[in-house]
Amino acid sequence: MSRLNRTDRPYDIVLFGATGFVGTLTAEYLAAHAPEGLRWAIAGRSEEKLRALRERLPGGEEIGVLHADVSDPASLRELSEHARVVATTVGPYVTYGEELVAACAETGADYLDLTGEPEFVDLMYVRHDARARETGARLVHACGFDSIPHDLGAYFTVRQLPEGVPLRVDGFVTADATFSGGTFASALNQFARGRQMIAAARERGRHEPRLVGRRASAPTGAPRYAQEVGAWALPLPTIDAQIVQRSAKALKRYGPDFRYRHYAAVRHLPVAVGGVAAVGALFAAAQLPPARRWLSDRLKPGDGPDADKRAKSWFSVRFVGEGGGRQVFTEVAGGDPGYDETAKMFAESALSLALDELPPTAGQVTTAVAMGDALIERLRRAGITFRVAASR
Ligand SMILES: NC(=O)c1ccc[n+]([C@@H]2O[C@H](COP(=O)([O-])OP(=O)(O)OC[C@H]3O[C@@H](n4cnc5c(N)ncnc54)[C@H](OP(=O)(O)O)[C@@H]3O)[C@@H](O)[C@H]2O)c1
């Protein structure tokens, strides 16, 4: 039976936080691209905003509206019971996210989000992975620019290399884009929680089974001039490398000894130095509550780059993979990474979980493990490039 015809719950997909910046873009994408017969709903805390959004969406009369608030766990439980797949944009996730993960793990609904917060992902693993495995719920974090191009790009690169041998993959990110109030709030929040992040990672380490007979690592590389891509490579301390490492732990295809390093690629040295200084200054300011408040007032929740600015934005992640005597150069590329493409990746991930025949998985899983080839195919059809640039 096609997954679309399984009518055990009223909706195939429920989009929670549909009225926010990325939520609205995701709702617009789903309204334009959902296959006929998809039963889906928008959800959030303001019925008035939800109804106004539904009126603007093509085919809006077919789209359900559900009321739920993160401060009301019963409403989240009800929401998860109504959906086969729950996609949430309500962040910062470390502040607002846990109750919905708990509800999905308990009721067996698939869950996906846009978090880039390692602390959140680690805590959700410790607290909800076991229950989700029992109920069959797939908990898939980081289904936006964090971390789909990197996770699926590394997976795609590995698939071009020989099987059963040690593999080395480096990813180099280049982008020209700006961010929204929601993303800015999440980043500031994360910068201020370094100690909690380390504690959560340690706790995860105590719970996670050790990999036996294979190795999968994601060390922080050193800054260097990377001849292979003709740019300065700066180690990127985002969640992406951890996600790639988790995919490598879960999938034997990554070989007996896999190593991934994640970098920002910058053409000119002064830009590289300026970028590091700017992030350092933001990090320092985020440690002081008054400076953090001042900064978060600069960009409000719901704000974000307009359509013109987004149309000029782009990203490219180049990968260099080596193993078994072969070297391969691949690329994942697209338009505005933070919003247009994030909404596309997020919506296509939700559609994939709801509709595609996927490997049987449950519990906390990465995008490569849960959806791999099916999601790459979807994203290609939706205009995101996955290509082999050269191999030897
Ligand atoms: N992974 C990536 O690459 C990526 C890219 C972009 C964004 N993000 C993340 O996605 C998240 C959303 O970003 P954004 O720019 O869309 O933020 P936003 O515009 O501030 O939207 C946040 C949403 O959360 C809802 N919300 C807030 N409090 C709520 C509550 N108590 N109950 C129910 N809903 C509540 C808001 O509802 P109202 O509309 O009623 O206020 C809104 O729909 C952020 O965490 C951001 O970091 C990740």
Side-chain angles (χ1 to χ4, degrees), residues 16-24 43-46 49 68-71 76 88-93 96 113-117 142-147 180-187 300-304 337-339 342:
F16 184 47
T19 52
F21 191 76
V22 193
T24 299
R45 61 180 167 176
S46 160
K49 278 194 191 178
D69 194 303
V70 291
S71 58
L76 301 177
T88 172
T89 74
V90 181
Y93 293 88
Y96 296 130
D113 67 29
L114 287 174
T115 190
E117 300 148 85
C143 295
F145 184 65
D146 291 316
S147 294
S180 69
T183 301
F184 192 53
S186 290
K300 297 282 188 204
D303 289 348
Y339 304 98
T342 281

Side-chain angles (χ1 to χ4, degrees), residues 9-291:
R9 299 186 183 202
Y11 295 109
D12 297 307
I13 296 174
V14 170
L15 174 62
F16 184 47
T19 52
F21 191 76
V22 193
T24 299
L25 293 174
T26 308
E28 288 168 356
Y29 186 91
L30 280 173
H33 297 93
E36 218 175 298
L38 185 88
R39 302 160 307 149
W40 69 286
I42 50 177
R45 61 180 167 176
S46 160
E47 292 209 42
E48 199 187 325
K49 278 194 191 178
L50 288 166
R51 294 200 182 280
L53 171 63
R54 182 168 76 166
E55 265 177 35
R56 294 202 319 267
L57 296 174
E61 60 290 348
E62 302 290 323
I63 301 166
V65 168
L66 299 175
H67 178 256
D69 194 303
V70 291
S71 58
D72 174 8
S75 72
L76 301 177
R77 166 100 191 193
E78 202 176 322
L79 184 150
S80 68
E81 284 169 343
H82 279 74
R84 291 175 44 232
V85 175
V86 178
T88 172
T89 74
V90 181
Y93 293 88
V94 83
T95 313
Y96 296 130
E98 175 161 7
E99 291 292 349
L100 183 57
V101 177
C104 290
E106 201 52 48
T107 60
D110 292 328
Y111 164 97
L112 66 156
D113 67 29
L114 287 174
T115 190
E117 300 148 85
E119 178 190 353
F120 178 68
V121 176
D122 289 341
L123 290 178
M124 295 309 97
Y125 175 82
V126 170
R127 295 176 187 163
H128 304 294
D129 171 75
R131 183 66 183 138
R133 283 173 193 269
E134 286 166 4
T135 62
R138 294 171 288 190
L139 308 178
V140 195
H141 302 285
C143 295
F145 184 65
D146 291 316
S147 294
I148 283 187
H150 322 293
D151 189 27
L152 291 187
Y155 172 85
F156 177 75
T157 307
V158 164
R159 307 256 304 166
Q160 317 303 319
L161 291 165
E163 286 190 51
V165 294
L167 299 178
R168 302 280 175 262
V169 177
D170 286 345
F172 300 91
V173 185
T174 323
D176 185 355
T178 46
F179 40 79
S180 69
T183 301
F184 192 53
S186 290
L188 281 180
N189 202 36
Q190 207 177 306
F191 282 164
R193 298 181 62 88
R195 259 183 301 124
Q196 292 91 327
M197 189 172 84
I198 292 167
R202 285 215 184 101
E203 178 132 17
R204 181 189 188 115
R206 282 194 287 274
H207 282 76
E208 208 165 26
R210 289 175 71 88
L211 196 57
V212 180
R214 294 172 56 230
R215 275 167 51 85
S217 62
T220 308
R224 65 187 169 96
Y225 186 76
Q227 203 76 49
E228 60 276 31
V229 290
W232 289 92
L234 307 175
L236 256 188
T238 48
I239 195 172
D240 308 305
Q242 295 173 25
I243 300 272
V244 171
Q245 183 187 17
R246 264 166 222 150
S247 296
K249 283 184 175 174
L251 298 175
K252 288 216 170 81
R253 181 62 183 86
Y254 287 68
D257 183 3
F258 177 81
R259 186 199 69 195
Y260 180 73
R261 294 182 303 192
H262 194 55
Y263 297 101
V266 183
R267 199 45 69 75
H268 303 292
L269 189 57
V271 178
V273 173
V276 172
V279 173
L282 205 56
F283 181 85
Q287 310 310 309
L288 310 167

